[in-house]
Amino acid sequence: MSDLEAKVGGSTEELVIEASEALRTRKASRIERIGDHLRNEWQLYVMLIPTVVWLLVFLYKPMYGLQIAFKDYSIFRGVAASPWVGLEHFQTLFGNDQFLRALKNTVIISFYGLIFGFPMPILLALMFNEILAQTFKKTAQTIVYLPHFVSSVIIAGIVITAFSPSAGIVNTVMGWFGIDPIYFLTKPEWFRPIFVGTGIWQEAGFQSIVYLAAIAGVSPTLYESAVVDGASRWQMMWKITLPSIMPTIIIMLIIRIGNMLEVSFEMIILLYQPATYSTADVVNTFIYRQGIQGGQYDLAAAAGLFNAVVAFVLVMTANTISKRYSRTSLW
Amino acid sequence: MRKFTFALALMGSTAITAPAFAESHLPIVEEPLELTIHMHWARAQGYGPGGDTSKIYPVEEVAREKTNIHLIDQTSGRNSTDQSEAMNLLLATGNLPDIVGGAKVQQPVNEYGPQGAFVPLNDLVEEHAPNIKAWFDEHPDIWNAIAAFDGNVYYIPYLPDGKYARAWFVRQDWLDALGLEQPDNVDELYDVLVAFRDQDPNGNGEKDEIPFFVRDWEEVLRLLTLWDARSTGADVYHQFYLKDGEVAHPYAQEAYRDGLANIAKWYEEGLIDAEVFTRGSSARDYLLGENLGGMTHDWFASTSGYNIALADKVEGFNFIPFLPPKSVSGVRIEENRRIPMKPDGWAITFANEHPVETIKYFDFWFSEEGALLANFGVEGKTWDMVDGEPIYKDEVLNSGQPVNSQMYLEGAQVYRGYPQDYRYEWQWTRESAREGIELYDTEDLLVEQFLGVAFNEEEQAVYDKYYPSIVTYMLERQQAWILGSGDIKEDWDDYVETLNKMGLQEVLEVMNSAYARQYS
Amino acid sequence: MSGVKLDSIVKAYGAVQVVHGVDLEVQEKEFVVLVGPSGCGKSTTLRMIAGLEEISDGTLTIDGRVMNRVAPKDRDVAMVFQNYALYPHLNVAENMAFGLRIRKESKEHIESSVKEVSGILGLDKYLERRPADLSGGQRQRVAMGRAIVRRPKVFLFDEPLSNLDAKLRTQMRAEIKRLHNRLGVTSIYVTHDQVEAMTLADRIVVMNAGRIEQIGTPMELFLNPVNSFVAGFLGAPPMNQVKAVIADGDTSPVAKFGTQQIALPSLPGLQNAVGREVIVGVRPEYAEVVTEAAPGSVSCELELVETLGSEALLHMNLDGEPFVIRTETLGNMAKLNSVNGFTAKPELIKVFDANTGMALSGQTRVA
C-alpha cells in the first residue's frame, strides 16, 4: 500500500519506467516458467517429436511442390528452376468445357453418394445391433465387409457381368417381368446409379464398423431404463441409439463432405466408356486423361489445388454449421 | 563373385564360334569399364533376370567378356511396375546413371534431352557406331521418327521385326456348315455375318450366335477400312494418319462418316457383339469356348492357338485367318501391322563420362554377333547355328514355357536398343499362324504408318491444350453413334464444326509443321 | 394392495446359481432396503423384480398378480439406476417426460406431471438443461423425477447414491426419505452402504452369497443380528468379534480368551455350554473405557485415537486382535490417551457359535 502511494506521488516519467521494469520482470519470469515447464514435462515433448516430424515430412514439405500449379513444370529442371506461368493452368482448366462438365459430374456423383451412400452404413450398423443370434450376426457382418477387401478391378468385373445385357443377373430378372434388356453400362443415364450403388455395396459394410463401435459405447443402462419405461426395440433404436451416436454421425458427415470431390476414380476408369463420359467423367478422371497420361503434372497439380481449396471451404462450412446447430464439431 | 563371373565368361567364350563383325573392335576397352544402368520394363524392374539384380543375365556375362563393359544396375522405382513413374522418380532425384533404358523412354528422353538430361547421339553414331549407322542408313524414316524436336536423336530404340500383328479370323467350319465361301469383299462379309446370325451355324437350335466379336472394342473400328476409312495411323488406336503426305485425323474424314454409319447399322442388326464395349479381354475365350463367336480381328499368334485348345471342346472347331475383305472401292488393306520402332530402348545421360565407349557398346548390339546374342541368347546354351541359321535347341522350344519368357530370363529380347530378328519368333509360331502370315504375304496389304512427331515446346503446348479434349469428344460421339443414340449423317456438320471449335485445325497445323520438320 | 412378493426366487446362469431361493414380502408403501456386500445377489434380485433379468425359478407377485413372464413395461414399476441412465441428447424436461411419451400420454398430462415433479424435486430452474450441464446430485434428482412422473406402483432403486460424494449422499438420502414419506409408494432399494440401509429402510434385508441372512427393522438388525455376518455388516464401525471359549463364572457364564475373560448374560443357550467355542460380539458403542484395571474389566493396549468431534474411536489391541471402542469426547479427552481396558454390560454382549456363526444369545431390547 505504501508502495502504491509512493508511485502515485511520483512523476509520470517514473511511472513509465517502473511500469516497463515491472513488465520486464514479468516477462523474465514467464520465460523461466516455460523453462521450468520444459524441464518438468520434457518426456511429453519427446513423445510428440515423431508426430511433428511426420507432419513436417509428409504433409508440410510436399506443400512446397504445390507451386508447380503456377509453373511450367519440368521434372528434370525441378520445382525451383521451372518458370512461373501465373494462373495459366487454372485458365486452361476453367476454359475447358470438359473440365466444367467433369466438375459438375463430380458434384452430382458425390451428392448422390452422400444422399444414398452416407445413411447406409448407419442403417447397417443399427440393423446389426438388433441381431441377437451371434452366429448369424457374425456371418452377416463378414459378408457385407467382404467387398471392401476385394480389389476394384474384381468389383468392376462383377458389376460389368451383373449388368451385362445377355448374361447379367439384372437383365435376367428384368426379363422375368417382360422388360427388354438394357445395355446399362453404355447408357449415360444409368452410370451414376450404378456407380453410386457399387460404392455403397463395396464400402457400406466396412464403414458401418465405426457406427457399431459408437453403438457399443452407449451405456446399456440407457436401454434398461427405456425397457422399464416401456420403450419398444424400434423406439429404442430411434430415441436412444441414433441420438447417442449422432456425434459420430456428424463427425463422419463432416469428413465425408471434406472428401466430396474425391470420387473413387479408379472405379470410374474401370466402369466408364466414352459413351458415358457425359455423366461419368469426373475431375480426377479428366485429370488422369489430360494430365498424368500426357505428363502434364503442373495442370494436374492446379486441379488438385483447386480440389483442395474447395474441400477446405466445404469442411469449414460444414463444421461451422454443425458447431452452431448440433454442438458437435471437428475442432 | 568376381572370380565366379570371370570363370563363367571364360566358359562362354569357348562356346562362341560366331565370326567377329568386320568393323567392330572388340573389346571396346582394354580394362573392364563399369557403367550404371536404369532398366525398367514390364518383365523386369532392374537389370537382372526378372528384375533380380543380385543375379547376372547369361547374355550380360557374354557381353562383358566380349566388350569389357560391365553394366551395373542402378534402376529407380523398382517397387513400381509403371515405367513412367519409375522414370519420373529417376529424373526427379537427379541422380542419373550412365545409361537409361527400358520401356517408354522415348517421350521423356525426347522431352528432357533438349533440356540437357541426355546426350544427343547423332555425332556419336556417325563417328563411333558403324553398325547402328548402317542399320539406320537403310531406314532413314525411322531415324527421323525417333528424333526429338530439335532434330537430335537421344535414344537407340528397340526395333521390332516382322510385319503382321492382327488378322481377320473366321469359323471355317461354320462357313462349311452353311455352304458359304470366305467373304472376299464387304458385301460378302455382310452376307456371311447375316447368315451366322440367322442360320444357326453352331446347330444348337438357338439364335445365340455372335457373328462379329472383338476383345478390345476399338478393334470393331477396323471395319471402317471396308468403307475406305481409317481407324488409326499407328499401332495404337485413334491415332493420326498420313493422308496424301499430310497428317490428318481419321475421325474427321467423310469416309469415316459413311463407314461409322454402316458399323452402327451392323451393330443395330446384331451382326456385331451387342456387348462389345464391356466384354473385355475374356471375350475371345468365352465366345469361342461357348461356340458362339463367328469372326474376329485379333493377333495372329494367340488367336491361332484356339484350334488346338478347343479341339476337344467344340467339335470340328476350325478358326482360321482369311484375307481382309475388299472395301467398297475394291481395295484390300490390313490396317494393323507391327510398328517398326518402339518407344523402348536406351539413352546416354549427361552424367555419363564415357559417351564414346557407351555408343560403341550400344553398337555392339547392332553387330551380327551382338544381335544374335540380343535375340536368341547365348549360343550353345539356348541355340546353335545350323546352316547359317540360328536355331533354338529342342529343350528351349519344348520346355513348356513360352520361348519369350525364357529369353527374358536369359537377358535376350530385353528392352535394350537392338534390332529384333523375326527368325526368333517364327521358330515358335504355330503352323496355323505361319500359314496365315504366308497367306497375308501373298498380297501387298500394308499401308504407310504414321510414326509420330516430336514437338517443340510451343507445338507441345498447343497439342496439350486442345488434343486431349478433342479425342475425348471424338470417342464420346463415336460410341454414341455406334450405340444408336444419334445419327452420324445428321450430326456430321455439327460434329465437324465442334471439332474445329475445339481446335482440331490448330492441332493439325502443329502436327504438320512438326512432321515437315522431322521427315523432310 | 401394491405389495411385492418374492416366493423362492432363483437366478441361475446355466449351471451357476447366483440367487438361491429368496423369499420376501414387501408391504404396500413399505420402504425395503436390500443390503449386502458386492456380489451377494441383491442387484440381481432387484433386476428380476424390474424384469431386466429373467427369473429362473420361483414366483414374483406384484399387487397380487404373477409377474414372472410379464414384460417390464407392464409391471408398473419404475427404476432409478446407479449411473442415472439419463439420455444425454435430451434436456431435463424431455428426460423426465420420456416414459410418458413412450406411453403416448396426452401432452397436457405430460406437461403437468413434469411440472409437478420438477417442483417437488426443485428442478424447475434446470428443465432446459442437458444432463452434461448438471451436477451429480441434480442428475440423480432428474433420474428420480423420471421414475416419479410415471406414478408407478413400485419404485426400484439400484444403488442410486453410490456415484455421489459423501456430503451429497447424506443430503440425497434424506431427500429420498422425505419423498417416500410424501408419495408413499412401495420402494425396494439396493445398496451396499449399511448407513443408507439403516437410515432409509422400514425394513432391511441383509443378503449374502445369494441368500437372505436376516430381515427386520434397522434396530432389530442392529441389536439382534441373527448371525455374526449381520453383526459384522451393520453398524459403523462394525461389532467387535472376539474368539472365546465358554467357562463357568461366579454368577453367570464367562467367555475366556487368552488369559482374560468377560462376563456373559445368563442365557438358556449358554447353560451347560462350558468349553464351547464361541465368538463374543461387543459393539464399539457399548464398550466402556477404563483407565485402570478393575473387576470385570478387560485390559487391552491403546494403539490409536481417532477423534471425530463429539466422539472418538479408540483402536485397541486385544491380545493381538484389533478392538474398536467408540466413546464420547465430552469430558473424556484428558484420559483418552491412558485408556487400557474396557467393560461391557453382559446384557449388551452378543454370543455367536464359532462354527455356524449363529447367535446364541437372546433378544436385546432398547427401552
Side-chain angles (χ1 to χ4, degrees):
Chain A
M1 185 56 80
S2 58
D3 263 358
L4 189 67
E5 280 164 4
K7 275 178 199 162
V8 170
S11 71
T12 43
E13 205 177 327
E14 275 172 1
L15 263 179
V16 170
I17 290 166
E18 291 209 8
S20 71
E21 265 173 1
L23 259 176
R24 233 195 327 273
T25 49
R26 209 169 72 212
K27 240 183 190 160
S29 75
R30 186 146 141 223
I31 289 164
E32 271 171 21
R33 273 212 306 279
I34 293 172
D36 288 346
H37 176 72
L38 284 176
R39 246 192 314 285
N40 294 332
E41 313 288 351
W42 64 269
Q43 294 98 332
L44 295 177
Y45 287 96
V46 168
M47 281 193 272
L48 194 64
I49 287 173
T51 315
V52 172
V53 169
W54 184 84
L55 278 172
L56 289 176
V57 170
F58 289 104
L59 293 176
Y60 284 91
K61 185 168 172 285
M63 283 188 195
Y64 170 75
L66 271 182
Q67 55 178 295
I68 69 167
F70 307 97
K71 286 189 158 190
D72 184 10
Y73 177 59
S74 154
I75 291 184
F76 175 66
R77 286 197 194 112
V79 174
S82 298
W84 293 96
V85 294
L87 294 174
E88 193 186 298
H89 298 307
F90 293 92
Q91 280 161 357
T92 307
L93 283 178
F94 286 95
N96 188 319
D97 288 343
Q98 287 175 7
F99 175 76
L100 297 176
R101 182 181 71 182
L103 197 59
K104 188 185 105 192
N105 285 337
T106 309
V107 170
I108 293 176
I109 287 178
S110 295
F111 192 68
Y112 281 8
L114 197 67
I115 299 290
F116 300 104
F118 186 73
M120 279 309 286
I122 302 170
L123 290 178
L124 269 180
L126 291 175
M127 278 161 54
F128 285 138
N129 191 46
E130 295 301 316
I131 299 174
L132 293 176
Q134 284 304 309
T135 330
F136 177 65
K137 184 174 177 175
K138 287 206 173 111
T139 315
Q141 281 178 305
T142 309
I143 289 171
V144 299
Y145 295 165
L146 207 58
H148 170 81
F149 299 99
V150 177
S151 105
S152 295
V153 178
I154 292 167
I155 297 278
I158 294 171
V159 170
I160 288 168
T161 310
F163 287 94
S164 147
S166 62
I169 177 84
V170 178
N171 276 300
T172 309
V173 171
M174 278 165 45
W176 296 343
F177 299 98
I179 304 167
D180 285 338
I182 298 173
Y183 197 177
F184 286 103
L185 287 169
T186 61
K187 302 278 184 210
E189 65 271 26
W190 280 106
F191 184 84
R192 288 170 189 154
I194 290 174
F195 175 78
V196 171
T198 304
I200 292 173
W201 174 59
Q202 197 180 359
E203 294 300 335
F206 196 70
Q207 287 166 356
S208 72
I209 290 175
V210 171
Y211 300 109
L212 275 174
I215 290 172
V218 180
S219 163
T221 54
L222 289 186
Y223 295 102
E224 293 181 342
S225 169
V227 164
V228 176
D229 278 347
S232 64
R233 290 195 78 87
W234 183 251
Q235 283 172 320
M236 284 194 271
M237 188 198 281
W238 282 103
K239 305 213 157 163
I240 301 175
T241 312
L242 209 52
S244 297
I245 63 171
M246 197 47 84
T248 310
I249 293 176
I250 287 172
I251 296 290
M252 294 303 285
L253 186 66
I254 294 173
I255 293 173
R256 176 93 182 221
I257 287 171
N259 291 334
M260 269 284 260
L261 296 190
E262 299 295 322
V263 175
S264 125
F265 100 115
E266 51 303 322
M267 196 53 132
I268 291 204
I269 291 208
L270 289 164
L271 289 180
Y272 79 169
Q273 294 285 341
T276 51
Y277 279 176
S278 58
T279 56
D281 196 20
V282 295
V283 172
N284 280 339
T285 49
F286 173 82
I287 293 305
Y288 173 74
R289 283 200 316 274
Q290 192 99 9
I292 310 289
Q293 268 185 336
Q296 291 177 267
Y297 296 97
D298 36 19
L299 192 72
L305 188 60
F306 170 74
N307 259 11
V309 169
V310 172
F312 182 68
V313 170
L314 285 174
V315 164
M316 288 301 287
T317 312
N319 194 58
T320 310
I321 293 173
S322 167
K323 204 187 219 161
R324 186 166 303 164
Y325 295 104
S326 78
R327 297 188 187 191
T328 308
S329 62
L330 274 180
W331 67 91
Chain B
M1 188 65 208
R2 176 155 292 182
K3 266 183 186 165
F4 176 64
T5 311
F6 184 61
L8 260 185
L10 272 181
M11 279 164 61
S13 74
T14 56
I16 287 173
T17 55
F21 204 65
E23 292 184 61
S24 291
H25 301 287
L26 295 176
I28 294 166
V29 282
E30 291 309 319
E31 291 298 311
L33 173 65
E34 289 191 349
L35 295 174
T36 53
I37 180 170
H38 166 99
M39 176 61 84
H40 199 292
W41 57 297
R43 298 289 185 137
Q45 292 82 53
Y47 191 67
D52 179 358
T53 52
S54 68
K55 298 197 183 96
I56 292 174
Y57 285 125
V59 164
E60 165 71 9
E61 305 270 12
V62 176
R64 283 183 181 183
E65 201 270 338
K66 287 271 150 201
T67 63
N68 241 348
I69 286 182
H70 294 215
L71 294 195
I72 307 298
D73 180 76
Q74 191 188 315
T75 301
S76 291
R78 290 186 53 200
N79 53 356
S80 166
T81 52
D82 184 327
Q83 287 92 43
S84 305
E85 219 173 272
M87 177 68 80
N88 289 340
L89 194 65
L90 177 75
L91 291 168
T93 57
N95 180 22
L96 295 181
D98 297 318
I99 299 169
V100 167
K104 298 185 197 163
V105 299
Q106 182 181 28
Q107 190 275 331
V109 160
N110 281 354
E111 181 174 351
Y112 302 113
Q115 291 179 18
F118 299 96
V119 177
L121 304 179
N122 306 44
D123 293 344
L124 287 169
V125 167
E126 188 70 34
E127 289 163 27
H128 304 290
N131 294 311
I132 296 176
K133 186 175 181 314
W135 197 94
F136 281 105
D137 281 346
E138 273 178 48
H139 306 86
D141 51 331
I142 295 177
W143 182 256
N144 292 334
I146 61 173
F149 70 86
D150 63 358
N152 286 325
V153 163
Y154 289 95
Y155 85 112
I156 299 299
Y158 157 50
L159 299 155
D161 196 15
K163 290 196 282 190
Y164 296 102
R166 294 186 179 88
W168 297 79
F169 277 77
V170 67
R171 283 290 295 273
Q172 183 63 42
D173 53 324
W174 283 14
L175 289 174
D176 295 345
L178 302 178
L180 297 169
E181 293 291 314
Q182 286 181 353
D184 189 53
N185 59 42
V186 58
D187 294 328
E188 288 177 27
L189 177 67
Y190 179 78
D191 293 340
V192 163
L193 292 176
V194 169
F196 278 1
R197 181 190 66 190
D198 296 337
Q199 296 178 23
D200 192 24
N202 66 10
N204 66 354
E206 282 180 49
K207 208 174 154 179
D208 55 357
E209 289 83 358
I210 290 167
F212 185 79
F213 68 92
V214 290
R215 288 187 295 164
D216 304 315
W217 69 267
E218 290 92 340
E219 282 300 315
V220 162
L221 303 171
R222 303 292 185 195
L223 292 169
L224 286 168
T225 60
L226 302 177
W227 290 278
D228 298 321
R230 292 289 299 276
S231 78
T232 183
D235 73 335
V236 290
Y237 299 117
H238 320 307
Q239 260 304 333
F240 292 88
Y241 78 119
L242 293 173
K243 182 188 181 191
D244 310 325
E246 290 248 321
V247 181
H249 201 286
Y251 299 163
Q253 311 299 319
E254 304 228 323
Y256 169 74
R257 176 191 63 195
D258 302 336
L260 201 73
N262 280 295
I263 290 176
K265 175 170 166 278
W266 287 21
Y267 180 80
E268 194 189 355
E269 290 176 4
L271 303 180
I272 295 166
D273 181 9
E275 294 182 42
V276 70
F277 297 111
T278 50
R279 190 81 76 177
S281 57
S282 62
R284 195 173 53 169
D285 286 338
Y286 173 75
L287 292 173
L288 292 178
E290 297 297 312
N291 199 12
L292 298 173
M295 189 183 288
T296 195
H297 188 256
D298 211 326
W299 291 88
F300 260 119
S302 58
T303 315
S304 61
Y306 284 88
N307 283 343
I308 297 164
L310 294 175
D312 296 333
K313 197 179 172 200
V314 182
E315 204 189 322
F317 186 89
N318 190 17
F319 200 48
I320 60 166
F322 66 103
L323 281 177
K326 283 182 190 150
S327 74
V328 281
S329 65
V331 178
R332 198 197 296 279
I333 64 162
E334 173 51 63
E335 187 184 52
N336 187 225
R337 59 158 298 168
R338 292 185 187 215
I339 195 167
M341 43 59 79
K342 290 290 260 181
D344 320 323
W346 51 19
I348 302 175
T349 72
F350 77 96
N352 189 323
E353 290 171 2
H354 308 277
V356 172
E357 287 81 356
T358 310
I359 200 74
K360 283 181 177 171
Y361 179 73
F362 284 5
D363 193 59
F364 166 72
W365 298 99
F366 277 72
S367 70
E368 189 178 352
E369 185 184 12
L372 284 171
L373 187 60
N375 274 287
F376 299 95
V378 179
E379 187 180 1
K381 183 173 183 235
T382 53
W383 61 282
D384 295 305
M385 196 61 95
V386 179
D387 302 332
E389 290 286 320
I391 303 295
Y392 276 121
K393 289 177 178 290
D394 281 347
E395 57 262 38
V396 172
L397 290 173
N398 301 322
S399 74
Q401 292 287 318
V403 174
N404 56 351
S405 300
Q406 297 178 57
M407 287 303 106
Y408 298 143
L409 295 178
E410 289 291 317
Q413 300 291 334
V414 165
Y415 281 16
R416 50 173 79 86
Y418 77 103
Q420 196 186 38
D421 187 337
Y422 192 64
R423 290 177 295 182
Y424 134 82
E425 190 174 319
W426 186 255
Q427 289 185 47
W428 53 286
T429 303
R430 279 185 205 85
E431 191 52 38
S432 53
R434 286 187 200 175
E435 280 168 16
I437 291 165
E438 278 160 0
L439 172 69
Y440 271 51
D441 261 339
T442 57
E443 291 199 29
D444 183 19
L445 300 175
L446 296 179
V447 287
E448 191 183 359
Q449 281 203 306
F450 174 58
L451 296 175
V453 292
F455 289 125
N456 61 28
E457 284 191 32
E458 294 90 68
E459 290 162 348
Q460 185 72 47
V462 170
Y463 179 87
D464 285 347
K465 184 173 178 191
Y466 296 118
Y467 190 63
S469 302
I470 290 172
V471 77
T472 300
Y473 176 71
M474 284 173 165
L475 296 182
E476 272 183 68
R477 299 303 296 154
Q478 186 179 64
Q479 276 199 355
W481 284 323
I482 295 173
L483 286 160
S485 65
D487 182 326
I488 186 168
K489 296 207 166 168
E490 286 170 22
D491 298 344
W492 184 255
D493 290 344
D494 274 351
Y495 171 72
V496 172
E497 198 185 319
T498 309
L499 287 181
N500 289 335
K501 220 187 289 171
M502 295 177 82
L504 180 61
Q505 294 312 321
E506 285 83 345
V507 173
L508 287 171
E509 211 169 283
V510 298
M511 271 282 171
N512 277 301
S513 68
Y515 183 76
R517 181 178 60 236
Q518 197 160 349
Y519 293 95
S520 57
Chain C
M1 191 207 94
S2 35
V4 180
K5 192 174 166 194
L6 281 68
D7 188 2
S8 312
I9 295 288
V10 170
K11 179 69 198 179
Y13 297 102
V16 184
Q17 230 180 50
V18 294
V19 176
H20 316 276
V22 164
D23 294 302
L24 173 67
E25 224 176 316
V26 180
Q27 305 301 320
E28 188 172 358
K29 298 189 178 179
E30 194 178 13
F31 200 116
V32 167
V33 175
L34 302 186
V35 70
S38 48
C40 72
K42 57 189 190 299
S43 273
T44 310
T45 307
L46 189 80
R47 291 164 63 83
M48 283 193 282
I49 299 170
L52 294 173
E53 299 276 354
E54 219 174 300
I55 296 168
S56 306
D57 200 6
T59 314
L60 168 73
T61 321
I62 298 178
D63 203 11
R65 219 177 122 208
V66 175
M67 289 291 183
N68 285 41
R69 311 211 66 81
V70 175
K73 65 186 166 94
D74 299 323
R75 296 188 183 196
D76 205 3
V77 299
M79 190 154 167
V80 178
F81 293 86
Q82 175 176 359
N83 54 5
Y84 324 129
L86 298 180
Y87 306 120
H89 53 282
L90 300 180
N91 65 27
V92 168
E94 289 163 339
N95 259 294
M96 284 168 53
F98 188 83
L100 300 176
R101 286 230 176 104
I102 293 287
R103 279 156 204 265
K104 302 251 157 55
E105 302 277 1
S106 76
K107 226 176 182 166
E108 297 76 44
H109 173 72
I110 294 177
E111 222 163 88
S112 64
S113 303
V114 169
K115 202 165 170 215
E116 186 195 338
V117 172
S118 59
I120 295 174
L121 292 169
L123 289 168
D124 312 64
K125 281 182 283 179
Y126 310 112
L127 286 179
E128 300 299 319
R129 290 210 194 160
R130 298 246 177 129
D133 304 329
L134 297 176
S135 71
Q138 287 165 335
R139 286 183 212 178
Q140 191 54 60
R141 240 179 255 146
V142 177
M144 282 193 298
R146 204 172 56 184
I148 295 167
V149 287
R150 286 200 18 228
R151 305 237 169 265
K153 288 206 192 81
V154 181
F155 278 141
L156 303 174
F157 297 89
D158 190 3
E159 310 219 14
L161 304 184
S162 52
N163 278 11
L164 302 179
D165 63 51
K167 201 172 165 190
L168 258 178
R169 210 180 299 169
T170 318
Q171 196 184 327
M172 288 300 295
R173 210 164 62 200
E175 224 164 288
I176 291 174
K177 187 77 186 170
R178 266 201 298 280
L179 218 57
H180 180 252
N181 290 342
R182 176 167 174 179
L183 300 172
V185 179
T186 313
S187 301
I188 302 175
Y189 187 110
V190 161
T191 181
H192 62 267
D193 179 353
Q194 54 91 21
V195 181
E196 270 171 42
M198 294 293 287
T199 50
L200 284 170
D202 293 331
R203 278 194 301 158
I204 293 178
V205 178
V206 179
M207 290 187 70
N208 186 27
R211 288 199 173 76
I212 292 182
E213 296 284 345
Q214 190 174 7
I215 304 177
T217 64
M219 284 315 287
E220 263 170 35
L221 264 55
F222 182 76
L223 294 173
N224 295 308
V226 294
N227 56 30
S228 62
F229 174 80
V230 177
F233 194 78
L234 294 178
M239 184 184 276
N240 294 299
Q241 302 193 13
V242 182
K243 279 193 176 176
V245 179
I246 304 284
D248 274 330
D250 300 336
T251 55
S252 62
V254 296
K256 276 186 182 286
F257 43 91
T259 58
Q260 309 199 65
Q261 61 178 54
I262 190 162
L264 298 179
S266 345
L267 295 166
L270 297 179
Q271 302 303 324
N272 308 319
V274 175
R276 188 167 181 181
E277 288 185 0
V278 294
I279 293 169
V280 174
V282 182
R283 290 227 173 256
E285 297 83 355
Y286 297 159
E288 284 165 27
V289 295
V290 294
T291 46
E292 271 169 43
S297 75
V298 177
S299 70
C300 45
E301 207 176 298
L302 179 69
E303 283 187 335
L304 176 69
V305 178
E306 281 181 337
T307 49
L308 304 171
S310 69
E311 294 172 328
L313 295 182
L314 307 183
H315 292 264
M316 315 294 292
N317 182 344
L318 173 58
D319 296 344
E321 297 291 324
F323 193 96
V324 179
I325 301 171
R326 187 172 195 138
T327 183
E328 300 218 338
T329 47
L330 202 63
N332 267 344
M333 278 310 281
K335 64 176 187 183
L336 282 186
N337 280 324
S338 52
V339 167
N340 61 4
F342 65 90
T343 60
K345 290 180 182 148
E347 63 268 28
L348 292 177
I349 291 175
K350 311 308 293 181
V351 185
F352 306 100
D353 185 278
N355 296 317
T356 63
M358 297 308 288
L360 298 173
S361 42
Q363 297 289 307
T364 306
R365 286 182 206 287
V366 182

